[in-house]
Each structure stands twice: as structure tokens, then as C-alpha cells.
Amino acid sequence: NAGVTQTPKFRILKIGQSMTLQCTQDMNHNYMYWYRQDPGMGLKLIYYSVGAGITDKGEVPNGYNVSRSTTEDFPLRLELAAPSQTSVYFCASSDQRGNNEQFFGPGTRLTVL
Amino acid sequence: GENVEQHPSTLSVQEGDSAVIKCTYSDSASNYFPWYKQELGKRPQLIIDIRSNVGEKKDQRIAVTLNKTAKHFSLHITETQPEDSAVYFCAASPDNFNKFYFGSGTKLNVKP
């Protein structure tokens, strides 16, 4: 199993540009999450999904959108990039049977100039 | 929502010494408390976790304790080694959707 994979690894955007961060998991997990990690800080939940077609906001959803059309994929969309969105973005997934380990992807380092 | 505070932000110990990292949480509904280790430029990885029906859990050199009444939990690393150097994050999960609320992290430096 590849686990959780993310693309791209790195990206530089100009202010106002848009992009989609891709996340795929092959563990058949129903629950998926997007976090952002600012330098020297913890992870903040942006959006999460409990299954295909179901998404909800986390702690810091402004400026982002998500969709979940399949169990495997959970893309994160930035519509109008701002310097405040410079961060490392991690996707994670977990089994839906109670509270348990979240498995993280390798991260996408995004810089907005 | 849940608020998790973590201390200290940095911790430097000599190889072989013990390290202790402490976290507090605010939501009494939290019932799952994982600890993640993140090496530089890598993804967070689970090292140990504890559920609210247990007061202590140990895995070799790593242990976690939980005090539900005081709403705090701690990570203990004994006989530290240079490869323990990393950033450690605590988290709390208060609901059935397994959402995690993370602390701000502790950078542990083990000096050889």
C-alpha cells in the first residue's frame, strides 16, 4: 500500500492565482482531513470528510474549498491565493471505527508571493 | 471548540536523560489523545496514544499518562537518544469524526 499520497511536493503561486492540492489514499478509509502547518506551529484543521459526498469545515476553512467524489480522493482548492496561505499542507486519513490513528501524507509546501 | 496547550516549546536534554512534554486540553468530551513525532521535512507519525479509560500506557522507552480530572496528559521519554531529536505534537479528539486538535509542538534536542 502507498498509504496517503499528495501532489505536488512544492509549489510557488502568485497572489490571486488558483490551484488544487491533490490527496489520495489506498487504505479504504472513510475519514479524510486537510491540515495546514505554519512555521514553528502545530497543525490546524482546514476541512474534513467522513465519506464520499460529505465534507465539513474545520478550524481554519476560509480561502479553501474541498470536494469528495470518491473514497480515495480528497482535493483541496485554493481559489485566490494570498500570502497568508503560505504554509505546508498535510492530508490525512483514518478508519471510521471510533477515534484512532490518522495517517499523514508527505505534505505540500506552498509559497504565495 | 477544543483547545490544546503544549509545553515546553523547546527542550534540550543530554543523551541518556529523560524528557517530559506536557499538554492540557479544554473539552471534557475528548477521549483520545495521540502523540506524533515529526522529523525535519517529514510527515507526522504516531508514536503512542492513550484513550480516556486508561491512565497510563507504555511502549519501550516511551510512556504517556492521562489525568482526566485535571485535563492534562504527558509524554515521557526515558534514556533519550540522538535519534529522538524531532518535534513532538500532542492532540486531543473530542468527537466521533476523529477530528484532532493539535498542540503547538515541542522541539526536542538530544545532545550526544
Side-chain angles (χ1 to χ4, degrees):
Chain A
N1 286 353
V4 181
T5 57
Q6 292 180 238
T7 57
K9 285 185 168 47
F10 306 94
R11 184 73 185 268
I12 298 175
L13 284 182
K14 294 182 179 178
I15 295 171
Q17 286 186 321
S18 301
M19 78 164 294
T20 299
L21 283 67
Q22 302 291 346
C23 174
T24 300
Q25 53 90 12
D26 63 0
M27 296 175 282
N28 201 33
H29 286 165
N30 272 358
Y31 291 179
M32 295 187 74
Y33 312 85
W34 274 106
Y35 294 91
R36 60 176 286 172
Q37 183 177 33
D38 297 333
M41 301 293 289
L43 295 96
K44 295 289 187 185
L45 182 65
I46 305 171
Y47 270 94
Y48 69 102
S49 170
V50 299
I54 307 170
T55 63
D56 205 350
K57 296 177 181 178
E59 299 173 272
V60 290
N62 291 347
Y64 307 94
N65 277 300
V66 293
S67 59
R68 182 95 182 271
S69 57
T70 66
T71 299
E72 293 78 21
D73 301 306
F74 189 38
L76 178 72
R77 178 88 179 155
L78 283 71
E79 289 294 347
L80 291 170
S84 61
Q85 292 178 305
T86 293
S87 191
V88 179
Y89 292 84
F90 287 99
C91 178
S93 73
S94 75
D95 190 276
Q96 68 272 20
R97 292 171 293 177
N99 291 31
N100 50 63
E101 179 179 4
Q102 288 186 15
F103 295 86
F104 284 82
T108 294
R109 184 176 295 274
L110 175 66
T111 301
V112 182
L113 301 173
Chain B
E2 174 65 283
N3 182 47
V4 178
E5 295 191 354
Q6 183 172 345
H7 300 281
S9 56
T10 59
L11 180 58
S12 191
V13 300
Q14 208 65 39
E15 182 178 359
D17 288 349
S18 295
V20 180
I21 302 170
K22 298 182 179 182
C23 289
T24 61
Y25 62 99
S26 61
D27 191 340
S28 57
S30 286
N31 56 19
Y32 176 66
F33 306 91
W35 285 88
Y36 280 78
K37 176 183 181 182
Q38 186 179 30
E39 296 176 349
L40 190 62
K42 304 286 188 181
R43 74 188 79 188
Q45 294 198 297
L46 181 75
I47 55 170
I48 196 166
D49 56 14
I50 191 167
R51 300 185 188 277
S52 58
N53 58 349
V54 175
E56 184 174 357
K57 184 177 178 180
K58 191 173 181 180
D59 183 3
Q60 297 184 330
R61 296 186 297 110
I62 295 173
V64 57
T65 58
L66 171 66
N67 183 326
K68 284 173 54 181
T69 304
K71 296 200 190 76
H72 67 71
F73 57 112
S74 300
L75 177 71
H76 304 253
I77 306 174
T78 59
E79 301 171 21
T80 54
Q81 301 166 2
E83 51 265 38
D84 294 330
S85 295
V87 179
Y88 292 81
F89 293 98
C90 64
S93 182
D95 62 38
N96 290 333
F97 299 134
N98 205 32
K99 290 185 294 185
F100 287 0
Y101 294 85
F102 283 89
S104 54
T106 296
K107 184 174 182 180
L108 175 64
N109 179 35
V110 180
K111 295 177 286 186

